[in-house]
Amino acid sequence: MGALIAGLVAAPTAGAAEGPEQITNGDFSAGTAPWWWTANSSAAVVDGELCADVPAGTTNPWDAIIGQDGIDLLAGEGYELSFTAHATTPVTIRTTVQMAVEPWTAEHLSTDRITTEPQTFSHTFTAKADNDAAQLGFQTGGHAEAYTLCLDDVSLTGGAEPPVYQPDTGSPVRINQVGYLTEGPKSGTFVTEAPQPLAWTLKAPDGSTAATGTTKVFGEDPTSRQHVHTFDFSRITKAGEGYTVTIAGETSEPFSIGDDLYARLRSDALAYFYHNRSGIEIDADLVGEEYARPAGHLNAAPNQGDGDVPCQPGVCDYTLDVRGGWYDAGDHGKYVVNGGISVAQVMATYERTLTAENADGEPLGDGRLRVPERGNGTPDILDEAAWQLDFLMKMQVPAGEELAGMAHHKVHDEKWTGLPMLPHQDPQKRLLHPPSTAATLNLAAAGAQCARLFRQYDAAFADRCLTAATTAWQAALAHPEVYANPNDNVGGGAYEDNDVTDEFYWAAAELFVTTGQDDYRRHVLDSPLHGDADKVFPRGGMWWGGTAGLGALSLATVENDLTAAELATVRSMVTSAADRYAADAQAAAYGVPYAPEDNRYVWGSNSGVLNNMVVLGVAHDLTGEAKYRDALLGGLDYLLGRNPLNQSYVTGYGERDSHNQHHRHWAHQLNPSLPNPAPGSVAGGPNVDIQDPVAQIKLRGCAPAMCYIDDIESWATNEITINWNAPLAWVASYVDDLGASGAPDPDPAACKVSYTSDRWNGGFTSRVTVVNTGTEAISPWELTWSFADDQRITHHWSSRITQTGQEVTARPASWNGTIPPGGSVAFGFNGTSGGRAADPTAFKLNGGTCALG
Ligand code: 9MR
């Protein structure tokens, strides 16, 4: 039945009805924010309305209130207030638009008789005073009996358009605020209306001019709607901290040039997973006091716990022990769809170190990461993955039940909880949601990858993974179209996915790589996705709902039984997608390898950037082509500050980092005694759909790459999740491996350097021998190093030596230009030094690292 119209409409006020809307989220379609209510009334969105349980026995109307703040009123302007309401018993409430602070002067006050039938109320008033922070309040107290009041379609029109939010974007000179690899590409973007190229100056850490050049006029950037220039200083390869770029009197944030800028990011990005483990105490010895916390969702009150979780009514009649795993994001949900892709990418970070020539497994190994299992003989990164894999397997429907072998889509709270809330404080009931084909295939794929990676460390676990995976695969074949309900989004996200062709491809690929069995291979080859690079690697990136690319990357990199021709098909999907991402990066004002159709930066756009970087990294591993590496590094620059907001999206990295991401217990912004997100947490990033009320208030009309705000309540632009941090870990690992050279090193064993010195007061003599330990002649050769101290070479023999600052290059004399396999060249020099003249320990021969020994 439709709502009745009630309330008196006063004499019409000019323009009121047509004026701009001043209420945010008045239809509650975006949840409850920014609405608030007094602590004695709990409120939630029920069937699209906001319903509050008002307690019995309060004295004054204002003893219980539902309200919204921050309303902009202009003196002399007419306003129309309207809303629909009903209650479980007829009650009279007071509706006010007033000052939000003493003396609470009201611009509008009405008493509204609410009945059990929905009625629409409408009031007009003219504001007497300017107030840019007025309050709309429904004062519901003063009643002997308890009742429930439901509100909908709350609207206040009139006045002026709400002010346009102007983000503080700092300097218009945009660079990677962490820094650039010594030998890698180095470019930035300058926001300016200037139609002509401008001079740029790179200032060295000591303030001296390190380089100059001119910008290139790019023109209008569609992602920011700004006119911009770009600039490039790739040729500068002198390491240092505190460089800046100045253009037209504007100076960038400081940044480094160096070899070892991303080791900490690799470890921090992975620590994210330990921090967000469910069912285990987070240990201060591993993460520091600030981040330590009790275990969440074990069966200790007020938690109802994950030890014995029933299904939603009517879904099943068993309970499951689903303790463990990782919390998905800012919420305490644990989802198999999304949990699967996340653990797969953590495993892929490790697996790359087994397959890519220049990847180093050591920093991911036993005793290297923040996990409590360190020292158990298994690489730490696999220990972290095991925590989640164990949970995924617990979500499988037990044998003997109707959908045996399928995986429950998710487990989470019955209702949404508020922020802040530590996991062990969550009082909500936990429920299992129906199994889905997508979840089942996530389990099949991740389980298959688990089986091959854990084999050598824990054969029993590998067996358990493989059994879970093959059982899941069979169950998915038997139930290929069981989809999650898109409206099942109370207390947790829906993660609905009505196309599982990609999950079938991914799972078949992983099972084939692990087992070599022909039926999996047939599924891969018969899939409509096989060979379709555009579908397997969409322009906007792989994501939790589009996982085929994960399977393709495994097939392309991990040894398997595809024929050479079949493998070529897979690899060409990877390289043609990477070509497209590289071209997108080339064409982008901010160098980012992400160009979704119509510039639709979506929810979690930063993970689209990261996943395209993963594909570029694999293409680079496969081919060695620098353009892929450069485009990947362009993505890193974008994420760390070279972007329209001058924002580093990774907590703890860069001068202007995101640190108020939406998270229930890293909620410093709401409660100063809680920490900010741990370093290495990547924000979801710009999202043109701005589904949350904070974004809707502040970001109205935003340009695509600027639809972001570092506010804890902006869950649509500023959440953090396992599936976004997983590709960050992959990328950080790749970039750290890339290290000094900015390019893969030639075989590091192909040469050795010995370096000895005799020192005396004020001077030294050094002798250098370079041995070719490889099987091919090196000709010509060029050895470079840098002095740590103030050495100056004054005289040299048996090679031509040049020195610029601390950088030294030695080239052959006329007779020793070739070093045969097993042969060597020796040369020496004298120099002066006022200090300790420490011998250099790092050398490069023809650009590749040469071991000292
Ligand atoms: O990452 C998800 C994004 O692709 C969806 O558009 C969005 C709305 O359904 O949900 C995102 O996932 C959220 C999930 O539903 C609940 N936990 C937090 C996730 C990240 O915001």
Side-chain angles (χ1 to χ4, degrees), residues 181-233:
L181 295 182
T182 315
E183 302 291 338
K186 301 173 192 72
S187 35
T189 303
F190 181 53
V191 183
T192 175
E193 291 300 329
Q196 309 295 344
L198 297 167
W200 58 258
T201 307
L202 176 71
K203 290 240 172 76
D206 65 3
S208 64
T209 296
T212 57
T214 43
T215 62
K216 244 187 170 161
V217 178
F218 178 94
E220 195 81 5
D221 163 35
T223 73
S224 63
R225 301 183 201 133
Q226 293 166 335
H227 188 264
V228 300
H229 295 192
T230 60
F231 53 93
D232 190 296
F233 53 102

Side-chain angles (χ1 to χ4, degrees), residues 328-333 335 338 416 486 489 492-496 543-545 602-604 607 662 687 689 691 715-721 723-724:
D328 187 58
D331 61 315
H332 295 141
Y335 310 83
N338 206 47
W416 286 109
N489 58 4
Y495 280 122
E496 81 272 21
W543 60 299
W544 61 263
V602 292
W603 194 316
S607 73
H662 181 80
N687 169 9
D689 294 314
Q691 290 92 335
W715 32 265
T717 78
N718 200 30
E719 193 155 356
I720 38 184
T721 76
N723 62 310
W724 303 339

Side-chain angles (χ1 to χ4, degrees), residues 33-290:
W35 293 92
W36 55 265
W37 46 89
T38 46
N40 57 359
S41 315
S42 72
V45 176
V46 180
D47 294 335
E49 302 178 319
L50 184 74
C51 295
D53 294 328
V54 183
T58 54
T59 314
N60 305 299
W62 53 87
D63 290 342
I65 307 177
I66 302 162
Q68 181 166 135
D69 289 343
I71 296 166
D72 195 10
L73 297 180
L74 291 177
E77 292 284 337
Y79 291 88
E80 179 172 353
L81 171 68
S82 64
F83 60 94
T84 301
H86 61 100
T88 45
T89 51
V91 284
T92 298
I93 66 166
R94 285 191 0 155
T95 306
T96 67
V97 179
Q98 60 176 38
M99 289 174 73
V101 290
E102 279 188 293
W104 316 107
T105 311
E107 295 286 6
H108 163 79
L109 196 161
S110 55
T111 49
D112 296 308
R113 181 72 182 163
I114 314 291
T115 65
T116 55
E117 291 298 327
Q119 298 180 84
T120 298
F121 296 82
S122 180
H123 306 286
T124 57
F125 64 94
T126 300
K128 290 185 264 329
D130 284 345
N131 186 346
D132 62 2
Q135 175 181 93
L136 165 65
F138 296 99
Q139 301 186 350
T140 57
H143 299 284
E145 303 291 317
Y147 66 97
T148 300
L149 172 78
C150 295
L151 294 167
D152 201 1
D153 297 327
V154 186
S155 163
L156 178 68
T157 52
E161 287 292 343
V164 177
Y165 169 68
Q166 289 292 355
D168 164 21
T169 54
S171 167
V173 186
R174 306 289 161 72
I175 43 70
N176 176 334
Q177 294 167 17
V178 174
Y180 299 86
L181 295 182
T182 315
E183 302 291 338
K186 301 173 192 72
S187 35
T189 303
F190 181 53
V191 183
T192 175
E193 291 300 329
Q196 309 295 344
L198 297 167
W200 58 258
T201 307
L202 176 71
K203 290 240 172 76
D206 65 3
S208 64
T209 296
T212 57
T214 43
T215 62
K216 244 187 170 161
V217 178
F218 178 94
E220 195 81 5
D221 163 35
T223 73
S224 63
R225 301 183 201 133
Q226 293 166 335
H227 188 264
V228 300
H229 295 192
T230 60
F231 53 93
D232 190 296
F233 53 102
S234 303
R235 65 175 198 274
I236 308 307
T237 55
K238 185 166 160 42
E241 289 172 11
Y243 279 100
T244 54
V245 172
T246 301
I247 307 173
E250 304 277 3
T251 297
S252 73
E253 297 297 334
F255 59 89
S256 300
I257 294 177
D259 303 344
D260 191 22
L261 303 176
Y262 293 101
R264 190 166 67 87
L265 181 60
R266 170 186 336 226
S267 150
D268 283 349
L270 285 163
Y272 179 90
F273 296 92
Y274 172 60
H275 277 289
N276 285 287
R277 281 193 195 184
S278 178
I280 189 173
E281 181 187 344
I282 303 306
D283 186 351
D285 288 346
L286 290 168
V287 297
E289 286 297 336
E290 196 187 4

Side-chain angles (χ1 to χ4, degrees), residues 360-383:
D360 184 2
E362 212 267 328
L364 307 172
D366 193 24
R368 296 300 303 269
L369 299 176
R370 279 158 276 178
V371 297
E373 298 83 4
R374 57 211 325 262
N376 67 355
T378 300
D380 286 345
I381 188 168
L382 290 185
D383 288 325

Side-chain angles (χ1 to χ4, degrees), residues 45 66 105 151 270 327 346 396 420 454 495 508 518 560 648 740 793-794 805 811 820 843:
V45 176
I66 302 162
T105 311
L151 294 167
L270 285 163
Y327 295 119
V346 169
Q396 195 160 26
F454 281 84
Y495 280 122
D518 208 50
N560 65 68
S648 164
I793 295 174
T794 51
R811 298 190 182 85
F843 299 90

